[in-house]
Amino acid sequence: MTQQSVEPKTGAEDAGPGSRVPAGRSWLDRYFHISERGSTVATEVRGGVTTFMAMAYILLLNPLILGGKDVDGNLLSQPGLITATALAAAATTLLMGFVGKVPLALAAGLSVSGVLSSQVAPEMTWPQAMGMCVMYGLVICLLVVTGLRELIMNAIPLPLKHGITMGIGLFIALIGLYKAGFVGKGTATPVTLGPAGELAGWPVLVFAVTLLLIFMLQARNIPGAILIGIVVGTVVAVVINKVADVDPKIWSSGPPELKGSAVSSPDFSLFGDVEFGGWGDVGAMTVGFIVFTLVLAGFFDAMATIIGVGTEAELADDKGRMPGLSKALFIDGAGGAIGGVAGGSGQTVFVESATGVGEGARTGLASVVTGLFFAACLFFTPLTAIVPAEVASAALVVIGAMMMQNARHVDWSDRSVAIPVFLTVVLMPFTYTITTGVAAGVISYVAIKAAQGRAREVGAFMWGLTVIFVIYFALNPIESWLGVS
């Protein structure tokens, strides 16, 4: 039988396990439960800034992903996409901070944007695609309101939750290594060191220096190690770019320099450009599969991230449950609809939230800080290009290493636990998708328990998840069988 997390009734209960309520607190402390969670205002601000700096790349990457043509050959405005990306991230992250009160930041989900670009846009117009975002977001909100989403999360066994945390750690570490150019696609091998079997170029050196600096600062227990590393790494990158006459093309996110004015006017041309209906040429079956795919992408990626970051922030109890979980889940679901209306793709909780948690963030104040920085980017978009992806990538590798500490909580001698956890951990980075890792872990856990004659221990929701994930893996042959392209 699964147990639901209990919604907080007092500040102490909302603060998380083992919290205490000191006297004489400020209104800010009382509202966000900063003292109860063992944090300070300065720590929360530092964590919020760190999370933003680790996430700022989305302002450049999301417009790049959504830069393709739709079924009519139309393109979305690049200035409009940057504004929509910043606006939606700011709105949802501020909402998470003020209402959810947890250190989770949201922005355009790369998995959702990938589905929109590769599967949805070739079938319909961009306004209709954004309508799909609104629909999938409302579906997830409905699951939250009915309690199904939280029940599903709480039904997942604690060892699998630890596996999810570790898997996310390896996943974001791989993202960091790849974005920095430290690993790349090989010729004789699937991946290789650097882009051609060797490390080359100043940007990779900047990444390595930033990474080692952060690790050294952490080893010395220096507060703000990640943020200090990012700032120093950016300064080094700017200096190298000026002094060494570096080819601008070798920086993965563009050269670390300010181009023109630091101030820009936001372009809200995509806001509200959403259409529902007009899918006659597509068919109801295809629309259904598109919504289902978007729900899977938004639902389980966010679920895994919330579990992982919440555990890292020590907000979860001994069974892996978080206080106020339903609020965070609802806001995450609403992010799909908010992102669709803004024109910037569905929003979801970002694994980069873990960087702020790594700096000590434990409350929603950190999310408020992150959200305000995204809001500022509506007017200072050119500044986001100064921090190179190679520097931000170092922070991702560091936090990935930190999240691997959950391995100590897994009983590796129990194969019914070890095998599902192993599959969860390795398949996230190897398939480059969090959902696949969660799916493999759930299916294998249920299958092994059944093989041991312990099927009743699994629970109805885990069996239901298994059916859903089997469909997820078999989606392509099912579409072929039904004649859906």
Side-chain angles (χ1 to χ4, degrees), residues 291-475:
V291 173
F292 179 70
T293 302
L294 288 172
V295 168
L296 284 180
F299 187 109
F300 289 104
D301 277 16
M303 181 197 74
T305 303
I306 291 173
I307 291 174
V309 177
T311 302
E312 189 69 21
E314 300 177 352
L315 298 180
D317 60 19
D318 57 358
K319 294 185 179 180
R321 299 172 303 180
M322 288 173 54
L325 177 61
S326 61
K327 292 181 181 178
L329 292 175
F330 186 87
I331 294 169
D332 176 79
I338 293 173
V341 172
S345 182
Q347 309 294 291
T348 188
V349 173
F350 257 50
V351 294
E352 284 83 355
S353 301
T355 59
V357 169
E359 286 297 324
R362 295 293 182 270
T363 77
L365 180 58
S367 295
V368 171
V369 172
T370 303
L372 290 176
F373 268 89
F374 272 118
C377 284
L378 290 170
F379 305 95
F380 298 96
T381 299
L383 290 177
T384 62
I386 296 180
V387 180
E390 287 79 6
V391 171
S393 297
L396 297 183
V397 176
V398 170
I399 204 63
M402 295 171 61
M403 295 176 75
M404 286 301 296
Q405 297 177 12
N406 284 270
R408 69 184 185 273
H409 300 302
V410 179
D411 183 3
W412 296 101
S413 64
D414 183 354
R415 293 192 176 185
S416 67
V417 169
I419 293 174
V421 169
F422 168 77
L423 291 175
T424 301
V425 172
V426 300
L427 286 181
M428 285 189 191
F430 289 171
T431 64
Y432 217 66
T433 165
I434 294 175
T435 304
T436 298
V438 177
V442 169
I443 292 174
S444 59
Y445 180 87
V446 171
I448 292 174
K449 287 292 186 181
Q452 293 177 329
R454 301 160 63 186
R456 291 186 178 180
E457 298 180 11
V458 174
F461 278 97
M462 284 292 285
W463 279 104
L465 280 178
T466 300
V467 173
I468 292 174
F469 280 133
V470 167
I471 295 175
Y472 169 74
F473 281 125
L475 196 57

Side-chain angles (χ1 to χ4, degrees), residues 41 65 95 174 188 264 315 415 444:
V41 172
I65 296 175
L95 192 62
L174 178 59
S264 62
L315 298 180
R415 293 192 176 185
S444 59

